[in-house]
Amino acid sequence: PRTPTIVQPLPPDAAASNLPRVGPSVARLLEQLIHGKNEPNRTVTIEDVLRISPRRYIDYSNLTKIGEMLGPVGDVTIAGDVVDIREQYGRARPFTVARITDGTGTLRLVWFSTFISKQLAEGERIYASGTIQGGYNGLEIVSPEWEKADGPNLVTNRIAPVYPLTKGLYQKTMRVITRNALDSTRSRLVDWLAEARPYLDDAVDLPPIDIAYERLHYPESMDQVAASKRRLKFENLFLLQLGLVHRKQAIQASPGQPLAVDRDAVERFRETLPFTLTGAQQRVIEEILSDIRQPTPMTRLLQGDVGSGKTAVAATIALVARDNGKQTAFMAPTELLAEQHERSLARLYAGLPEHQRPMIALLTGSTRAKRRREIDEAMTAGEIDILVGTHALVQDAVSFGDLALAIVDEQHRFGVKQRALLAQKANNLQPHMLSMTATPIPRTLNLVLSGDLDVSIMDEQPAGRIPIETRLYRKPQRADAYRLVREEVERGHQVFVICPLVEESETIEAKAAVEEAQRLKEQVFPDLRIDVVHGKMASKKKDEVMTAFRDHAFDILVSTSVIEVGIDIPNATVMMIEGADRFGLSQLHQFRGRVGRGGSKSYCVLLADDSTAGGEARLQTMVATNDGFVLAEADLELRGPGDFMGTRQSGLPELDWLDDGFDARLIEVARAAAIRLLADDPSIDIRRFPRLKPRLQQYWATASTTVIDTSKS
């Protein structure tokens, strides 16, 4: 069983199944609620129960008079006497109907259960809460929350929590469970954050843990709820920042390899490029050159919107490493992207005299054994300057002669552990690490997702790039969208079609893509060449289809949302997205970035038959701007940090308390406190922090890498 570190010493009744009034069957339901059905045997601790956040609250102290309600008025709480209660039998199932009065009028209550009729009797006074609606017999509340006014309860005349539930669990049961959990641990709760209080900003109101839990579940005001959630969010952020700052400091404390920068050589390379670098590219290059001259290893994230020219920046830095007699590893998430980078680098270096061009090799899972041996021998001998590849670069069989620079494209697709393995290839000298991403991330989220990295942002597009025109089509306009597709194909161009997001499973999404491709072939474009790619395909097959599309073997590619980030098909000019309202802004923007890579006018076609208010807001924002950073900020505001981050949590612990709100100020405070604490005690000595250190280790145990060394504690 997982050890609840908030309780010292650990009591024998830590499992929820041993809490008062909780039997084994309810304990199993709690396990499903807290851990999900995929972990049925994972024990529920008291801490798990205390950290269940109510999804909303009902204010039983703010009563509405029945006589004041002239029509449906939304959610209300009333107090009244039961004047009639009876079971009734309809066509579907039996139900209970009661009428209550508060002296100003009467109201009908309906429950789809006969169990209520055995709990209530005429003459009893109750509190009831729910949504007032009109019925055949006047105003009524269907399935209201209720409590007896004169009986033992947890909600009379106060704010009551409403918890997330699973089938078989009820609000009253959950309230008893949380009340018992609070009462049984109050005297034994250990506030581990108290050990960090000297390093915190006094201006931030963070209540002690016992008060925070009490007010989270049974507050006297909604301000108390906000303060409690702020405390629990801060715990997450502080432990996260301790780990990230510690990781960055550990890397920078490692022996590095300072690189000399020949300004004349860099300038000569710029002059050979077939384009002029943007101001953003030049600024970022200067930031990186300043980093690699230092004896401490660089750890930098390069954020550049689609088409902003990140590869040219990477090529410049790799050339500096080559001129120092050092090697560069360039890692991409897929074979297709690795091949694309190899070709791009070769084109960028083509203007240099032959003796000044870096030697480039490609290593992927498909590389044949003979070629692998040749590459390994050449790498060990220092004959290859830049090795481009996939995860194959971190395999044991791959060795470098003198690795000084590691470049990781689409860094969120790799775990921290994979990036660390790449660093181990540098003969015990930490290489400079440049990570790149085409996903614009708001500044505040950078401190969460990339807190162990310095961040450079390229927010400028190369001159002459034709903006992508984004069009929104409703159901009656679908024929117009298809007409645009046909016109572009007739001009010799190609088209992406993205199928709607289906949440059930990847298998269902794959089937939907295949069916959509067949529909387009038979009903819409019978004369055009159409193929399909989806997530259930083997990687090799996906690469084959994408390569064939790149080589113009067919006109239209139907795909699920697995379409590769960064894939370069210059001839593709239309990105048509079915069910566009189901995707987030950042993902829509990534899809849009797959076109407009050649010199022709390109289009992003958003198809949405019906959309929610949130979906409509996203679609209108997409039409209004092509700026990825503006879209990222809007996506964060519309969907919240949990949805926005998605799989970019790779290598990080769970960030559960960020899902229902985002406080940029709290991140800044957490990071500043982490920096101050680690400056005072870099190892976080367990003798000074006997409660904080185990909590930190437990928190980071959910990540894919060890951040805090436990060998000396």
Side-chain angles (χ1 to χ4, degrees):
R2 190 156 57 91
T3 303
T5 56
I6 60 167
V7 180
Q8 300 287 343
L10 175 64
D13 63 343
S17 58
N18 292 323
L19 285 171
R21 304 188 191 182
V22 177
S25 61
V26 174
R28 285 193 294 272
L29 293 173
L30 273 176
E31 289 173 4
Q32 290 183 20
L33 175 67
I34 295 172
H35 301 309
K37 295 182 179 180
N38 294 329
E39 298 182 89
N41 297 319
R42 183 174 170 185
T43 302
V44 173
T45 66
I46 290 179
E47 181 185 8
D48 291 328
V49 172
L50 295 180
R51 293 180 75 86
I52 296 173
S53 180
R55 55 186 176 87
R56 63 184 178 90
Y57 298 83
I58 299 173
D59 189 353
Y60 281 94
S61 64
N62 186 14
L63 301 179
T64 300
K65 295 293 185 182
I66 297 175
E68 296 174 357
M69 297 182 296
L70 302 178
V73 292
D75 292 333
V76 297
T77 301
I78 57 175
D81 299 320
V82 178
V83 294
D84 181 53
I85 184 167
R86 65 187 63 189
E87 297 178 5
Q88 293 190 7
Y89 296 86
R91 294 179 180 178
R93 54 179 171 169
F95 56 97
T96 299
V97 176
R99 298 195 71 84
I100 64 171
T101 181
D102 65 354
T104 67
T106 61
L107 183 70
R108 188 171 185 257
L109 307 179
V110 180
W111 293 273
F112 294 105
S113 166
T114 57
F115 183 64
I116 304 295
S117 65
K118 299 175 177 60
Q119 296 179 294
L120 280 178
E122 293 181 11
E124 290 188 297
R125 186 169 180 79
I126 67 170
Y127 291 86
S129 179
T131 302
I132 292 290
Q133 60 189 49
Y136 289 114
N137 299 295
L139 298 180
E140 64 183 17
I141 303 179
V142 177
S143 301
E145 292 270 341
W146 68 278
E147 292 279 0
K148 291 183 180 181
D150 58 352
N153 58 70
L154 302 173
V155 299
T156 301
N157 284 327
R158 63 172 303 161
I159 297 173
V162 178
Y163 295 100
L165 299 173
T166 191
K167 186 176 181 180
L169 273 181
Y170 302 97
Q171 289 298 336
K172 290 183 181 181
T173 306
M174 285 299 302
R175 288 168 185 153
V176 170
I177 291 172
T178 54
R179 183 69 266 168
N180 286 339
L182 287 165
D183 293 341
S184 67
T185 58
R186 183 179 301 279
S187 62
R188 292 174 293 174
L189 284 176
V190 173
D191 193 348
W192 60 266
L193 192 60
E195 296 176 348
R197 290 276 178 182
Y199 307 96
L200 304 187
D201 187 338
D202 293 335
V204 181
D205 178 21
L206 300 173
I209 191 61
D210 58 336
I211 294 176
Y213 280 139
E214 177 67 34
R215 292 177 176 175
L216 174 70
H217 295 281
Y218 299 101
E220 295 178 2
S221 70
M222 294 309 294
D223 287 342
Q224 291 184 353
V225 174
S228 296
K229 289 189 173 183
R230 182 166 59 246
R231 153 69 195 239
L232 295 169
K233 290 175 190 175
F234 184 82
E235 287 186 4
N236 248 196
L237 291 170
F238 181 58
L239 294 173
L240 177 73
Q241 293 301 324
L242 274 177
L244 291 175
V245 173
H246 185 278
R247 187 160 69 193
K248 182 175 182 179
Q249 291 177 349
I251 291 174
Q252 293 184 333
S254 305
Q257 304 182 66
L259 300 178
V261 177
D262 185 339
R263 288 285 178 181
D264 292 336
V266 172
E267 186 58 34
R268 285 195 299 271
F269 174 56
R270 287 179 180 175
E271 292 173 355
T272 67
L273 293 172
F275 50 82
T276 301
L277 294 177
T278 66
Q281 285 174 306
Q282 295 181 48
R283 170 176 49 79
V284 167
I285 287 173
E286 289 303 315
E287 291 173 353
I288 297 172
L289 291 179
S290 176
D291 282 352
I292 63 177
R293 284 197 296 260
Q294 307 304 317
T296 55
M298 172 181 70
T299 55
R300 184 168 289 275
L301 172 66
L302 173 57
Q303 279 188 59
D305 206 348
V306 175
S308 59
K310 297 183 296 298
T311 306
V313 173
T316 304
I317 308 308
L319 183 62
V320 172
R322 185 260 188 191
D323 290 345
N324 279 261
K326 304 293 184 179
Q327 293 172 312
T328 297
F330 197 133
M331 191 158 69
T334 69
E335 292 190 10
L336 198 62
L337 285 175
E339 293 172 5
Q340 184 173 298
H341 281 305
E342 181 201 27
R343 290 193 302 272
S344 296
L345 290 172
R347 285 197 300 268
L348 291 169
Y349 293 136
L352 289 171
E354 189 171 351
H355 68 281
Q356 293 179 4
R357 295 177 200 163
M359 292 296 296
I360 307 170
L362 176 68
L363 179 65
T364 69
S366 298
T367 304
R368 295 185 178 276
K370 180 181 178 182
R371 178 56 181 159
R372 284 174 177 267
R373 289 192 296 270
E374 293 172 352
I375 290 174
D376 190 53
E377 291 173 3
M379 288 296 300
T380 304
E383 297 171 0
I384 294 175
D385 302 306
I386 304 174
L387 183 60
V388 182
T390 56
H391 299 74
L393 297 190
V394 299
Q395 293 175 352
D396 292 339
V398 180
S399 57
F400 289 80
D402 200 349
L403 177 65
L405 175 64
I407 300 172
V408 179
D409 188 29
E410 296 305 332
Q411 65 96 20
H412 64 270
R413 301 280 292 277
F414 296 97
V416 176
K417 194 173 291 186
Q418 291 166 313
R419 300 199 292 271
L421 287 172
L422 190 57
Q424 292 175 9
K425 301 287 185 179
N427 300 324
N428 297 319
L429 291 175
Q430 183 76 27
H432 297 290
M433 182 74 70
L434 177 64
S435 299
M436 303 193 302
T437 180
T439 303
I441 302 171
R443 187 191 70 83
T444 48
L445 268 184
N446 274 323
L447 290 177
V448 176
L449 302 176
S450 310
D452 55 340
L453 305 173
D454 296 311
V455 179
S456 292
I457 295 177
M458 286 169 42
D459 51 5
E460 184 179 351
Q461 292 289 336
R465 184 176 172 92
I466 302 174
I468 300 168
E469 182 179 339
T470 302
R471 298 180 179 180
L472 174 58
Y473 293 93
R474 304 296 182 184
K475 190 172 185 178
Q477 304 164 314
R478 183 173 288 269
D480 295 334
Y482 290 152
R483 189 176 302 113
L484 174 63
V485 168
R486 183 171 293 281
E487 290 172 355
E488 286 300 301
V489 171
E490 289 174 352
R491 292 189 179 103
H493 297 143
Q494 293 167 277
V495 176
F496 288 102
V497 175
I498 304 297
C499 287
L501 184 67
V502 181
E503 296 181 357
E504 283 87 344
S505 72
E506 198 172 68
T507 300
I508 295 176
E509 286 195 351
K511 181 181 178 183
V514 172
E515 290 176 349
E516 175 64 9
Q518 192 65 29
R519 186 186 73 83
L520 291 176
K521 283 181 183 179
E522 296 176 354
Q523 302 177 25
V524 186
F525 304 115
D527 54 326
L528 302 184
R529 299 169 298 170
I530 300 174
D531 209 335
V532 64
V533 66
H534 54 75
K536 294 299 288 182
M537 284 182 171
S539 296
K540 185 176 181 180
K541 177 61 177 176
K542 280 194 292 186
D543 284 344
E544 288 175 356
V545 174
M546 293 302 299
T547 301
F549 187 53
R550 181 195 66 198
D551 297 338
H552 205 165
F554 49 93
D555 307 304
I556 299 175
L557 177 63
V558 179
S559 173
T560 60
S561 55
V562 302
I563 190 73
E564 297 296 350
V565 172
I567 188 65
D568 192 0
I569 311 289
N571 194 47
T573 58
V574 178
M575 169 62 70
M576 188 164 72
I577 307 170
E578 289 274 4
D581 55 300
R582 302 186 193 181
F583 296 98
L585 275 173
S586 291
Q587 194 166 21
L588 288 172
H589 184 58
Q590 287 295 326
F591 292 150
R592 179 165 59 185
R594 305 287 66 77
V595 297
R597 292 174 170 247
S600 302
K601 173 75 173 177
S602 295
Y603 304 87
C604 178
V605 175
L606 307 176
L607 297 177
D609 295 340
D610 299 296
S611 60
T612 62
E616 183 66 22
R618 291 194 296 274
L619 296 177
Q620 295 299 336
T621 305
M622 276 290 293
V623 172
T625 181
N626 278 316
D627 189 321
F629 288 93
V630 171
L631 291 171
E633 292 284 359
D635 209 15
L636 178 62
E637 181 178 340
L638 287 169
R639 296 200 296 158
D643 284 342
F644 180 89
M645 289 186 288
T647 58
R648 282 189 286 281
Q649 290 186 23
S650 178
L652 298 183
E654 294 297 324
L655 304 176
D656 51 350
W657 279 97
L658 294 187
D659 286 350
D660 67 344
F662 191 74
D663 188 337
R665 163 69 176 153
L666 215 54
I667 295 178
E668 302 279 2
V669 171
R671 188 165 182 84
I675 290 172
R676 285 193 289 267
L677 189 152
L678 287 167
D680 185 36
D681 190 341
S683 66
I684 313 182
D685 193 317
I686 197 167
R687 290 168 294 186
R688 290 186 60 191
F689 303 99
R691 295 164 180 166
L692 187 154
K693 181 70 173 278
R695 186 67 171 189
L696 180 64
Q697 292 167 338
Q698 179 192 32
Y699 178 73
W700 275 91
T702 64
S704 64
T705 183
T706 300
V707 171
I708 301 296
D709 181 24
T710 61
S711 60
K712 298 179 181 179
S713 53

